Amino acid sequence: MTVTNIIELLGGLGAFLFGMKYMGDGLELAAGSKMKDLLEKLTRNRILGFLLGVFVTVVIQSSSATTVMVMGFINAGIMDLAQATGVIFGANIGTTITSVLIALDVSGIAPFCICVGAFMMLYSKKAKVKHIGQVILGFGLLFQGLHTMSGAMKPLGQVAWFQNFIANAKSPILGLLVGALICAVIQSSSAAVGILQALALQGLMPLHFASYLICGINIGSAMPTILASMSARNNAKRAAMIYLIYNVVGGILMTLVTMFLPYTQFIEGLIPDPMFQVSMVHILFKVVSAAVLLPCTNLVVKLTYKIIPKQRHEDAARLEYIDVNLVGNPSVSLLQIRSEVDRMSALVFENVDLAMDGILSNEVRSAKEITENEAVIDYLTDAISDYLVKFNVQELSPQEAMYVNRVFQTLSDMERIGDYAEHLLHVNERCAEKKLTYSDVAKSELQELYGNVKELYFTATARFHSQDIGIGELTHLARLERENRKKAKQAQQNHMDRLRAGECSVEAGIMFGEVLNSLSRIGGHSINIAEASTSQQNAKIF
């Protein structure tokens, strides 16, 4: 095998991989958002979710892409893990369509497809036609690449070391390792199986060893989803783990079948075409795995919780009291909205309290809890707001409509307070990093100011809950907020005096000023919440 053959092989592989990806992207663009809408709406039934996973993956040509899409739905709270499991199992079967297309070997029309697809993409002004052109172009490139690879690998049959390797390639462990390595490198099980089919076409791949390689390839195919889940929430990581479990169980099962049963000989006797033989082994791997695991969906989900234990707040990014699919009686819906706002209010204050505890103790505490809470606060802000938009189209009384507007305003204020709590955490982390500390006098000033802020926030949120703050109480809170701003300014002036006296550093003073500013802003937003708590006389909502 010459250098020219190796260059042709690499070029063919590149065209094959690019063509498959380009075709899949074109199919996804041509389908628009319909695939995602289908996944979002039709996955409550396990069997339906399984069939949907098959269909979507047949369309977009990538089980990894379908699984990553499902992980996104899990992150967004649209789909739970049990629903996702059926879709992932279906996606694994849908991906086998690529090997069937390759086995058809229509490489003779590949140049024609490339020409037609290119013309459609270059000269059509309609987006839909361009997307279809992309599919046709990708299809042509895929088979042109396969044809180039097949031709480049033909001389391998004359290479002594390769002949010896194939003649003695009977080790299941070697097959699993080589298959997993190939797939981990090229990041596509369909492409890896396509390479086996190209080798089989030249008579260079015994089906018995190809079966072991396919087991390894499918295990290696979990790598892209595992990598995609690294920064995701735990449930999305569990979805990636389900994908891995599916292929590991299938790999172990089909390795044992290949070792102890004459099933590859049966396929060879049944199907004369070597490319279809490899495709059938791949399809059987996926179908048998699904048949074994689909009835055990709940056990698979439980296993993922053993591998990735449940942690605090991981399932909190969802609405606990509101059912977004039901917009019923306004009075009932308003009670549900109030409960969600109360829940968000408690999380916001917990973050402020945890952040101030760290600052006053000169230690970085509860950073993980604050970050997790902030993610839930951001989610609730968006989710409740979206529900309010849907709810607001109903026929509401003036008082109910006014309350909805006040909730919008209060969500914004609470979300901003949550942001200031997170900012306080970052101030605390910078102080710890630079070993900056506050004097006892500075801590005393912060404690006094924070005590007032707590009173402001607790009173404002309690009154927002009942919508019955009195003018006198509102006046008292407004006075308290003004006093807080004065105290913050005075504390800042006191710091300047200490700085001139050499009792503290400039950097510590900057951090101190940021804490004062954050507390002052929290007080301002608390007053906004209090002002949204006044109801008209004889027009109480609750």
Side-chain angles (χ1 to χ4, degrees), residues 394-407:
Q394 293 188 101
E395 188 174 335
L396 304 175
S397 70
Q399 292 76 29
E400 289 168 340
M402 184 180 294
Y403 179 71
V404 169
N405 290 335
R406 287 172 174 172
V407 172

Side-chain angles (χ1 to χ4, degrees), residues 321-487:
Y321 303 100
I322 294 172
D323 186 342
V324 293
N325 298 311
L326 296 175
V327 181
N329 184 287
S331 60
V332 175
S333 295
L334 288 173
L335 286 170
Q336 294 173 342
I337 291 167
R338 181 173 72 171
S339 295
E340 291 291 359
V341 172
D342 288 346
R343 177 181 164 219
M344 180 172 164
S345 167
L347 285 170
V348 168
F349 178 74
E350 182 182 355
N351 263 13
V352 175
D353 202 44
L354 289 171
M356 283 305 299
D357 178 56
I359 284 172
L360 294 171
S361 64
N362 282 330
E363 294 178 17
V364 177
R365 294 179 177 177
S366 310
K368 185 178 179 182
E369 288 88 339
I370 292 171
T371 303
E372 288 175 350
N373 281 349
E374 178 60 20
V376 179
I377 290 165
D378 289 341
Y379 170 82
L380 289 175
T381 303
D382 293 337
I384 298 171
S385 297
D386 289 345
Y387 181 77
L388 287 174
V389 171
K390 187 190 293 187
F391 176 76
N392 214 19
V393 300
Q394 293 188 101
E395 188 174 335
L396 304 175
S397 70
Q399 292 76 29
E400 289 168 340
M402 184 180 294
Y403 179 71
V404 169
N405 290 335
R406 287 172 174 172
V407 172
F408 271 121
Q409 175 190 326
T410 298
L411 287 175
S412 176
D413 284 306
M414 285 184 179
E415 199 266 339
R416 291 296 296 134
I417 293 173
D419 289 343
Y420 281 117
E422 193 173 35
H423 180 65
L424 288 171
L425 169 65
H426 296 328
V427 169
N428 192 15
E429 288 173 335
R430 293 204 299 272
C431 287
E433 183 183 338
K434 297 181 179 182
K435 296 184 169 48
L436 304 174
T437 58
Y438 303 119
S439 65
D440 291 338
V441 176
K443 283 184 183 178
S444 176
E445 290 170 335
L446 289 177
Q447 283 175 323
E448 183 180 1
L449 190 58
Y450 180 49
N452 290 347
V453 167
K454 279 201 285 190
E455 182 183 346
L456 266 170
Y457 185 80
F458 274 133
T459 306
T461 53
R463 291 294 175 259
F464 185 81
H465 173 89
S466 58
Q467 286 288 291
D468 66 350
I469 193 168
I471 297 299
E473 192 169 27
L474 185 59
T475 303
H476 165 69
L477 292 179
R479 189 187 311 117
L480 188 60
E481 195 272 331
R482 287 195 298 273
E483 287 176 7
N484 266 6
R485 278 188 275 125
K486 289 179 183 177
K487 285 182 179 179

Side-chain angles (χ1 to χ4, degrees), residues 487-504:
K487 285 182 179 179
K489 286 182 181 178
Q490 185 59 53
Q492 189 68 57
Q493 182 58 52
N494 294 343
H495 158 70
M496 296 303 295
D497 293 340
R498 291 192 293 273
L499 186 62
R500 281 192 290 270
E503 296 174 7
C504 69

